[in-house]
Amino acid sequence: MSRPELNIVRPLTAAAPGYDHDWFPYTPLPARPDRRQLAPPGLALSVVVDVRAAEWEYSAPAVGVPGGRGLAPHPDFPRMSHREFGHRAGLFRLAAILREAAVPWAAAVDVLTAEHYPRVLSLLQDEAVEILAGGLSSSRAISSLMSEPEEDHYIGQTLDRLESAIGTRPRGWMSPQGSQSFRTPSILARHGVDYVADWANDEQPYAVTGAGDLWSLPVSWELSDLSSMFVRGIAPNSYARAVLEAVDVLAADSVRSPRMLCLHLHPWLCGEPFRARALRDLMARLASRTDVWWASPADIVDHGRGGQR
């Protein structure tokens, strides 16, 4: 039985530049048409607050639940209770900071939260400018280990149950911890989702040309509080400075072509009291800028669609 030649360097063949998938072509930003006249002035800024709950009863979730002090034998009470802080306290502090700064914000919500946390859902319905579909729970990932009918059922159930709980069907989708299979874009498009917020690969929204009318809204991974303050241990004041530096650069670049920055915040992280002062100052400084267009994720995608025509 012959072994596959995995490490053999084969002769090069002519190929178009880009990826080894067909979801969208490689389009470097400098090569795109200038559509400044079709976009609002300045830089588009958006905030997405991650309001998702983890399930205590699953001893082996498909993905690890972020937060806490490391893995412990199930049930991991330190980690799970840390994760739950957002729904009990952190979200209300974070919402107050955003309200004080008059900064509009969207929320990525899972079915577990929408169906089991009425006080949280009431806050989101009152104050969030948009609600994105965030899966069944933060501890139930999508993966290519699912069959297509299983994934189709997962996405359909999420959209249907969120619509029932919230009263409107979400236009956008943000997978739990960015999890996807090789089929996810096409299944999202099949269910009428307008945009997916899982890929952090651009400074403009773009069409997922291999999945019908689906668009991608790039959400910054490096400037999420999870990546910055939790994974890399950046101090709150340093995080605030990093966001302000990014906004300065993007605002200058937006003179030449439209740019966007979508911040992804987690109440169990930036809702902690020792991070509140830095976050409050950051939001106040961002809100005072005159070269920023505060927009919902759907608004940014809609302007991207208009600019493509």
Side-chain angles (χ1 to χ4, degrees), residues 48 50 52 174 219-220 223-226 262-266:
V48 175
D50 200 298
R52 290 186 266 205
M174 179 179 274
V219 176
S220 176
L223 289 179
S224 70
D225 57 356
L226 177 60
C262 189
L263 295 175
H264 188 195
L265 304 179
H266 297 71

Side-chain angles (χ1 to χ4, degrees), residues 171-229:
R171 291 183 56 187
W173 178 276
M174 179 179 274
S175 298
Q177 301 186 49
S179 60
Q180 288 195 10
S181 77
F182 293 118
R183 301 175 298 263
T184 303
S186 61
I187 296 176
L188 291 175
R190 184 189 310 159
H191 283 274
V193 174
D194 283 347
Y195 67 90
V196 58
D198 290 343
W199 298 320
N201 59 353
D202 214 305
E203 294 173 2
Q204 294 179 347
Y206 58 89
V208 185
T209 51
D213 293 328
L214 187 71
W215 271 60
S216 172
L217 177 88
V219 176
S220 176
W221 164 243
E222 288 222 65
L223 289 179
S224 70
D225 57 356
L226 177 60
S227 172
S228 296
M229 291 191 280

Side-chain angles (χ1 to χ4, degrees), residues 143-157 181 183 187 190-191:
S143 82
S144 291
L145 296 177
M146 289 178 166
S147 68
E148 184 166 353
E150 286 174 327
E151 184 176 357
D152 185 86
H153 181 264
Y154 180 108
I155 291 172
Q157 278 282 297
S181 77
R183 301 175 298 263
I187 296 176
R190 184 189 310 159
H191 283 274

